[in-house]
Amino acid sequence: MSSSKKKKKFKSAATQTQQVDSVNSESRKQEHKKETPVKVQLSLFDPSQPLLPGSWKTNTGIFLLLVIGTLLLYAGDLNLGFFSVDDPGYVTDNPWIKELSLTNLKFILTSPFFTNYSPLHILSYAVDYSIAGQNAFVFHLSSNIWAGLVAGFVFLVALALTRRQFVSIAAAILFVVHPVHVEAIVWISSRKDLIAAAFALPSLLAYIKYRKGGKFYLRWYIVSLLLFICALAGKLSVATFPAVLLALDYFVEKRTLVKSLIDKLPFLLAGIGFAIIVASAQPLSGNSPDPFVYMSALGQSLWLLTGFGSYVIYRVPPVASQTGLDLVAALILIAAFALPFLLRRIMPVAVVLFYWILFAFLPAQILSFIHPVTDRYLFFPSVAGVILIAWGVNIVCERVMRKGIVLSSAILFIITFIWGMGTLKYLSEWRDPLSVWSASLKKSKDPDVYSSLGTHYLNLSGKFGKAVRDSSLSENSARQIANSVWKDDNRLQNMLKDWSQGKWGEATEKEFQTHLSNLASEYFEKTIQVKGNRVLPHLYFRKGIILLNKGDLAGARKEFLATLEETSRYSVIEVRSEVRVATYNNLGMLAKKENNFREALTWYKKAEEEQTMAGRIWVNDISSTRMKLEETVA
């Protein structure tokens, strides 16, 4: 073969080789493009990747800073005191938290209480009480610490899911400043939401660790299950969380549905077990399933998660449609759950977060007594919400410009600032119960707001006008109340002058007491005007107390009898019994004042029987009063 032919053949072979290499290279590039999303999706469960990117020292430091930041933001609630709604039932009047004895611990862990079963929630109060007694400062500090721990876990969960430290820090900061959290943190009785989240989030982390495999993977599964049970013991609202674990398996890890379901069975059984116990303790809500109500509630809840809503302790609940829109509402609800499924291939982790929000709404929407939209119900769904916002902003900005982190930092800073201002504004309303209810009137016309404001004035009236001051009301607190209620009244200075001279229960103070009582009556009347079909047995009872204090025995009797009628329609057995005992007792007092001892004895007997059947003691001397009356009648 000639030299020229060899060169041509060599060049031809070289050209073919280059073409093949070019084709193979292009093929590999195409394959790489196709595989890259899969690798990103599977890195969450890749055994070679750590559960949490970054050093443990850095992550721990960020966790602690988030706890401290939460404590600083909510430091203003430390002097708030106890709230007039639920705090008496859970804390101030709860005999089971007053001592960490074996008897009390057994009751807390095994028995429903206050129409609920949340043993870890009640146990946290017992720990607080063992530290400082009935000191509201400590109870608020404890709730703030729980909230800080949840914020720290939000960072860790976001880090595990997104693998991005910037996004995770941003999500956790957004969580800290979200205005929807004020009610859950500041209202002591809402601590159950904090505790449930504080155990559910590490349960998720342990589950991811289990799915990564390794030598001790079964131990991590057990840890995840135990943490989930603790979350349920905080509040049943996390019962749907195993659906999020299932979504992780199916959409991100690409496990088969059967295998994904098998290891969720223990979680499901735990949720069902707690649900049965809670159902036995809680009354039927009386709410029939209504797609329009569920759709409206979902819409309101999603809007509140944006951080730009109006936040109030009681908002008017959605009402059933009167125009036959139930079918449309049902289709919208189905679409809300179906649409994320369509995105499962391109953004599987985001789909999991979408379903986290939707599934976390279900218990509150379906089981709610009256208010399917309440701020504290959004505490746990907001975890997924802030991660989605931080991650979404970061991804979009990276696609828009090369240095997207600068733009995303600016946008997230603006959101953080706006939310933080909203939180501080809402926190300023929580100076005391009066400020909370007064501010609520500007945002909601729900009857509970009017009733609670009237109750607050009634409770205050009982602290004034006495020769010996109520020990629970300090002079400083009395002055603050007087300046708030009578700031434009000429009599204020005379009353303050009397107090500075140590004169309590003088004529001006009695006038102030009457004024408070009249304000209570005024708001109770407004409650009746807006309550509609709402059953409020305490309302008529408190009206009767006001008339009794004024000496209007006939008017008081009428209101107490109305209380019994209203109470007969109330579904919460424990509250129904308590109101009946108090009402029977007051009717006995009325009859006794009128020297009708036989009638008085009848009422006292009913009060004693009701109290005995309930197994509680609301009126201490009812038996001795009944025996003395029997002697008088005899």
Side-chain angles (χ1 to χ4, degrees):
M1 186 180 293
S2 67
S3 175
S4 61
K5 286 183 178 181
K6 286 182 179 180
K7 287 180 180 179
K8 287 181 180 179
K9 186 174 183 181
F10 177 79
K11 287 181 179 179
S12 176
T15 302
Q16 290 176 3
T17 301
Q18 289 176 356
Q19 290 174 348
V20 170
D21 287 344
S22 177
V23 171
N24 289 340
S25 175
E26 187 63 29
S27 177
R28 283 194 296 270
K29 286 181 180 179
Q30 293 298 327
E31 289 177 3
H32 179 70
K33 287 180 180 178
K34 291 179 181 179
E35 290 176 358
T36 297
V38 177
K39 289 181 179 179
V40 171
Q41 294 167 15
L42 295 180
S43 65
L44 179 62
F45 296 103
D46 187 349
S48 65
Q49 298 292 323
L51 175 67
L52 301 171
S55 70
W56 71 268
K57 291 182 180 179
T58 301
N59 293 337
T60 302
I62 295 171
F63 187 104
L64 293 175
L65 286 174
L66 289 166
V67 175
I68 294 170
T70 303
L71 293 176
L72 291 175
L73 180 62
Y74 283 90
D77 74 0
L78 296 176
N79 297 313
L80 176 62
F82 293 107
F83 212 52
S84 58
V85 180
D86 286 352
D87 283 359
Y90 279 122
V91 183
T92 58
D93 297 336
N94 185 353
W96 302 105
I97 69 169
K98 303 299 172 65
E99 183 183 1
L100 284 174
S101 64
L102 289 177
T103 301
N104 286 1
L105 288 175
K106 180 181 178 182
F107 178 86
I108 290 172
L109 295 175
T110 62
S111 306
F113 178 76
F114 204 53
T115 70
N116 209 333
Y117 180 67
S118 54
L120 279 188
H121 169 226
I122 303 298
L123 187 59
S124 73
Y125 297 144
V127 172
D128 291 351
Y129 193 91
S130 69
I131 294 172
Q134 198 164 291
N135 186 330
F137 181 97
V138 172
F139 281 84
H140 281 293
L141 178 60
S142 180
S143 291
N144 295 352
I145 292 173
W146 279 104
L149 292 174
V150 175
F153 282 123
V154 170
F155 162 69
L156 297 181
V157 167
L159 191 60
L161 293 177
T162 69
R163 321 296 293 175
R164 301 185 182 202
Q165 191 176 72
F166 169 77
V167 169
S168 305
I169 294 173
I173 293 174
L174 287 175
F175 184 84
V176 171
V177 301
H178 204 310
V180 82
H181 297 158
V182 172
E183 179 183 311
I185 298 172
V186 175
W187 190 359
I188 294 173
S189 294
S190 291
R191 187 187 296 176
K192 59 177 81 72
D193 293 273
L194 314 182
I195 294 175
F199 284 103
L201 296 182
S203 173
L204 173 61
L205 294 173
Y207 183 81
I208 296 173
K209 185 69 174 175
Y210 148 68
R211 289 308 309 153
K212 281 178 173 290
K215 187 177 180 181
F216 302 109
Y217 76 103
L218 283 178
R219 294 184 184 180
W220 285 109
Y221 177 81
I222 295 172
V223 169
S224 177
L225 178 60
L226 291 176
L227 287 169
F228 175 66
I229 291 172
C230 290
L232 289 170
K235 189 177 182 181
L236 181 64
S237 60
V238 297
T240 57
F241 197 53
V244 177
L245 306 183
L246 179 66
L248 268 175
D249 286 359
Y250 190 68
F251 296 126
V252 181
E253 194 185 358
K254 309 300 183 184
R255 291 178 78 192
T256 63
L257 185 59
V258 174
K259 290 183 178 179
S260 300
L261 285 170
I262 289 174
D263 56 10
K264 305 306 176 299
L265 287 177
F267 290 85
L268 180 62
L269 292 174
I272 292 174
F274 272 85
I276 292 173
I277 298 174
V278 172
S280 68
Q282 291 190 349
L284 295 175
S285 66
N287 298 329
S288 57
D290 189 293
F292 188 81
V293 170
Y294 293 153
M295 183 199 70
S296 301
L298 178 62
Q300 288 186 55
S301 295
L302 290 174
W303 172 243
L304 292 172
L305 280 184
T306 66
F308 300 103
S310 176
Y311 301 94
V312 62
I313 194 166
Y314 288 127
R315 56 180 50 82
V316 178
V319 295
S321 169
Q322 302 298 319
T323 56
L325 294 176
D326 287 345
L327 178 59
V328 174
L331 292 174
I332 292 174
L333 289 171
I334 293 171
F337 279 84
L339 287 176
F341 185 79
L342 302 178
L343 304 173
R344 66 192 184 281
R345 297 187 184 280
I346 58 176
M347 47 177 64
V349 175
V351 169
V352 172
L353 292 171
F354 279 124
Y355 279 122
W356 180 333
I357 294 172
L358 293 173
F359 284 124
F361 280 156
L362 292 179
Q365 307 295 332
I366 296 173
L367 301 176
S368 170
F369 295 127
I370 298 167
H371 297 88
V373 185
T374 301
D375 291 355
R376 60 187 181 277
Y377 293 164
L378 305 180
F379 187 80
F380 192 54
S382 70
V383 176
V386 295
I387 297 174
L388 273 173
I389 291 172
W391 198 12
V393 168
N394 184 247
I395 289 175
V396 170
C397 290
E398 284 182 349
R399 292 182 178 179
V400 169
M401 57 188 297
R402 184 172 297 177
K403 293 184 179 181
I405 192 170
V406 176
L407 180 59
S408 61
S409 297
I411 294 174
L412 291 171
F413 175 80
I414 292 172
I415 296 174
T416 300
F417 179 79
I418 295 173
W419 284 12
M421 290 298 98
T423 295
L424 290 173
K425 181 181 178 182
Y426 192 24
L427 277 171
S428 68
E429 298 175 8
W430 290 76
R431 295 186 304 273
D432 52 60
L434 178 59
S435 64
V436 176
W437 299 123
S438 297
S440 295
L441 279 179
K442 301 174 183 178
K443 299 183 255 183
S444 173
K445 300 303 178 184
D446 187 84
D448 280 321
V449 176
Y450 291 100
S451 177
S452 297
L453 186 54
T455 301
H456 180 69
Y457 281 125
L458 177 60
N459 291 341
L460 287 180
S461 70
K463 298 177 182 292
F464 291 92
K466 301 177 182 178
V468 179
R469 296 198 64 70
D470 188 327
S471 59
S472 67
L473 186 69
S474 66
E475 181 180 344
N476 184 51
S477 296
R479 287 178 175 274
Q480 289 178 350
I481 294 168
N483 280 302
S484 176
V485 177
W486 256 6
K487 62 181 179 180
D488 298 322
D489 196 295
N490 295 329
R491 294 169 290 181
L492 174 62
Q493 294 306 318
N494 290 334
M495 185 168 66
L496 296 179
K497 183 178 179 181
D498 286 340
W499 290 349
S500 63
Q501 296 174 358
K503 298 177 181 179
W504 312 111
E506 296 294 320
T508 310
E509 184 177 340
K510 290 179 180 177
E511 290 178 14
F512 182 64
Q513 182 188 36
T514 301
H515 180 72
L516 291 170
S517 181
N518 290 338
L519 285 173
S521 295
E522 185 179 317
Y523 281 106
F524 289 150
E525 289 300 326
K526 289 181 179 179
T527 306
I528 292 175
Q529 293 172 14
V530 299
K531 88 180 191 75
N533 294 326
R534 186 80 59 85
V535 181
L536 300 172
H538 289 97
L539 173 62
Y540 297 97
F541 178 80
R542 287 162 181 154
K543 287 185 66 182
I545 292 296
I546 292 173
L547 294 173
L548 183 62
N549 291 337
K550 290 181 178 180
D552 183 356
L553 302 187
R557 180 190 299 276
K558 179 182 176 181
E559 297 298 339
F560 288 140
L561 291 175
T563 301
L564 293 177
E565 183 180 351
E566 184 85 350
T567 305
S568 66
R569 300 188 293 120
Y570 200 60
S571 57
V572 183
I573 297 174
E574 186 174 357
V575 175
R576 187 169 64 202
S577 295
E578 181 181 5
V579 174
R580 278 177 175 170
V581 169
T583 305
Y584 290 147
N585 184 64
N586 278 285
L587 284 168
M589 289 172 54
L590 282 175
K592 194 175 177 183
K593 286 178 178 288
E594 296 170 338
N595 294 323
N596 191 340
F597 299 117
R598 290 187 180 278
E599 182 186 341
L601 181 59
T602 300
W603 291 121
Y604 282 127
K605 282 182 176 180
K606 287 187 175 184
E608 185 179 23
E609 290 171 2
E610 186 77 33
Q611 188 163 265
T612 302
M613 285 191 297
R616 297 288 301 277
I617 299 177
W618 293 296
V619 180
N620 290 318
D621 58 348
I622 190 71
S623 295
S624 60
T625 302
R626 187 259 307 161
M627 287 187 287
K628 289 179 180 178
L629 264 179
E630 284 179 335
E631 293 175 1
T632 302
V633 171

